[in-house]
PDB file of all heavy atoms in Angstrom:
ATOM      1  N   THR A 863       4.141   3.344  -5.468  1.00 51.00           N
ATOM      2  CA  THR A 863       3.744   3.656  -6.838  1.00 51.00           C
ATOM      3  C   THR A 863       4.697   2.965  -7.789  1.00 51.00           C
ATOM      4  O   THR A 863       5.902   2.873  -7.535  1.00 51.00           O
ATOM      5  CB  THR A 863       3.787   5.176  -7.088  1.00 51.00           C
ATOM      6  OG1 THR A 863       5.095   5.639  -6.792  1.00 51.00           O
ATOM      7  CG2 THR A 863       2.779   5.889  -6.185  1.00 51.00           C
ATOM      8  N   SER A 864       4.215   2.450  -8.864  1.00 51.00           N
ATOM      9  CA  SER A 864       5.056   1.811  -9.868  1.00 51.00           C
ATOM     10  C   SER A 864       5.596   2.841 -10.834  1.00 51.00           C
ATOM     11  O   SER A 864       5.116   3.966 -10.916  1.00 51.00           O
ATOM     12  CB  SER A 864       4.234   0.755 -10.635  1.00 51.00           C
ATOM     13  OG  SER A 864       3.144   1.381 -11.287  1.00 51.00           O
ATOM     14  N   GLY A 865       6.612   2.453 -11.587  1.00 52.00           N
ATOM     15  CA  GLY A 865       7.243   3.369 -12.528  1.00 52.00           C
ATOM     16  C   GLY A 865       6.558   3.411 -13.870  1.00 52.00           C
ATOM     17  O   GLY A 865       7.086   3.983 -14.818  1.00 52.00           O
ATOM     18  N   ARG A 866       5.392   2.788 -14.011  1.00 58.00           N
ATOM     19  CA  ARG A 866       4.732   2.764 -15.313  1.00 58.00           C
ATOM     20  C   ARG A 866       3.992   4.052 -15.620  1.00 58.00           C
ATOM     21  O   ARG A 866       3.641   4.320 -16.754  1.00 58.00           O
ATOM     22  CB  ARG A 866       3.777   1.581 -15.363  1.00 58.00           C
ATOM     23  CG  ARG A 866       4.459   0.234 -15.216  1.00 58.00           C
ATOM     24  CD  ARG A 866       3.459  -0.894 -15.304  1.00 58.00           C
ATOM     25  NE  ARG A 866       4.117  -2.186 -15.154  1.00 58.00           N
ATOM     26  CZ  ARG A 866       3.476  -3.360 -15.165  1.00 58.00           C
ATOM     27  NH1 ARG A 866       2.141  -3.372 -15.322  1.00 58.00           N
ATOM     28  NH2 ARG A 866       4.133  -4.485 -15.029  1.00 58.00           N
ATOM     29  N   GLY A 867       3.723   4.897 -14.635  1.00 58.00           N
ATOM     30  CA  GLY A 867       3.020   6.149 -14.872  1.00 58.00           C
ATOM     31  C   GLY A 867       1.521   5.971 -14.875  1.00 58.00           C
ATOM     32  O   GLY A 867       0.966   4.887 -14.640  1.00 58.00           O
ATOM     33  N   VAL A 868       0.830   7.040 -15.171  1.00 62.00           N
ATOM     34  CA  VAL A 868      -0.625   7.041 -15.177  1.00 62.00           C
ATOM     35  C   VAL A 868      -1.125   6.328 -16.432  1.00 62.00           C
ATOM     36  O   VAL A 868      -0.623   6.587 -17.535  1.00 62.00           O
ATOM     37  CB  VAL A 868      -1.151   8.483 -15.108  1.00 62.00           C
ATOM     38  CG1 VAL A 868      -2.683   8.502 -15.107  1.00 62.00           C
ATOM     39  CG2 VAL A 868      -0.597   9.190 -13.885  1.00 62.00           C
ATOM     40  N   PRO A 869      -2.072   5.423 -16.335  1.00 64.00           N
ATOM     41  CA  PRO A 869      -2.590   4.754 -17.542  1.00 64.00           C
ATOM     42  C   PRO A 869      -3.183   5.764 -18.513  1.00 64.00           C
ATOM     43  O   PRO A 869      -3.909   6.680 -18.142  1.00 64.00           O
ATOM     44  CB  PRO A 869      -3.666   3.815 -16.977  1.00 64.00           C
ATOM     45  CG  PRO A 869      -3.304   3.622 -15.551  1.00 64.00           C
ATOM     46  CD  PRO A 869      -2.677   4.914 -15.107  1.00 64.00           C
ATOM     47  N   GLY A 870      -2.860   5.620 -19.773  1.00 71.00           N
ATOM     48  CA  GLY A 870      -3.374   6.513 -20.799  1.00 71.00           C
ATOM     49  C   GLY A 870      -2.514   7.734 -21.057  1.00 71.00           C
ATOM     50  O   GLY A 870      -2.791   8.479 -22.002  1.00 71.00           O
ATOM     51  N   GLU A 871      -1.461   7.952 -20.214  1.00 78.00           N
ATOM     52  CA  GLU A 871      -0.601   9.123 -20.431  1.00 78.00           C
ATOM     53  C   GLU A 871       0.202   8.983 -21.708  1.00 78.00           C
ATOM     54  O   GLU A 871       0.355   9.938 -22.479  1.00 78.00           O
ATOM     55  CB  GLU A 871       0.322   9.297 -19.222  1.00 78.00           C
ATOM     56  CG  GLU A 871       1.209  10.540 -19.303  1.00 78.00           C
ATOM     57  CD  GLU A 871       2.093  10.692 -18.084  1.00 78.00           C
ATOM     58  OE1 GLU A 871       1.974   9.855 -17.153  1.00 78.00           O
ATOM     59  OE2 GLU A 871       2.906  11.631 -18.070  1.00 78.00           O
ATOM     60  N   GLY A 872       0.745   7.793 -21.957  1.00 77.00           N
ATOM     61  CA  GLY A 872       1.507   7.580 -23.183  1.00 77.00           C
ATOM     62  C   GLY A 872       0.655   7.700 -24.420  1.00 77.00           C
ATOM     63  O   GLY A 872       1.098   8.223 -25.455  1.00 77.00           O
ATOM     64  N   LYS A 875       0.154  11.409 -25.183  1.00 86.00           N
ATOM     65  CA  LYS A 875       1.329  12.024 -25.791  1.00 86.00           C
ATOM     66  C   LYS A 875       1.467  11.615 -27.246  1.00 86.00           C
ATOM     67  O   LYS A 875       1.816  12.424 -28.122  1.00 86.00           O
ATOM     68  CB  LYS A 875       2.582  11.625 -25.016  1.00 86.00           C
ATOM     69  CG  LYS A 875       2.687  12.254 -23.633  1.00 86.00           C
ATOM     70  CD  LYS A 875       3.995  11.870 -22.969  1.00 86.00           C
ATOM     71  CE  LYS A 875       4.120  12.540 -21.601  1.00 86.00           C
ATOM     72  NZ  LYS A 875       5.408  12.157 -20.928  1.00 86.00           N
TER      73      LYS A 875
END
Side-chain angles (χ1 to χ4, degrees):
T863 57
S864 61
R866 298 181 180 179
V868 180
E871 183 179 357
K875 290 183 178 180

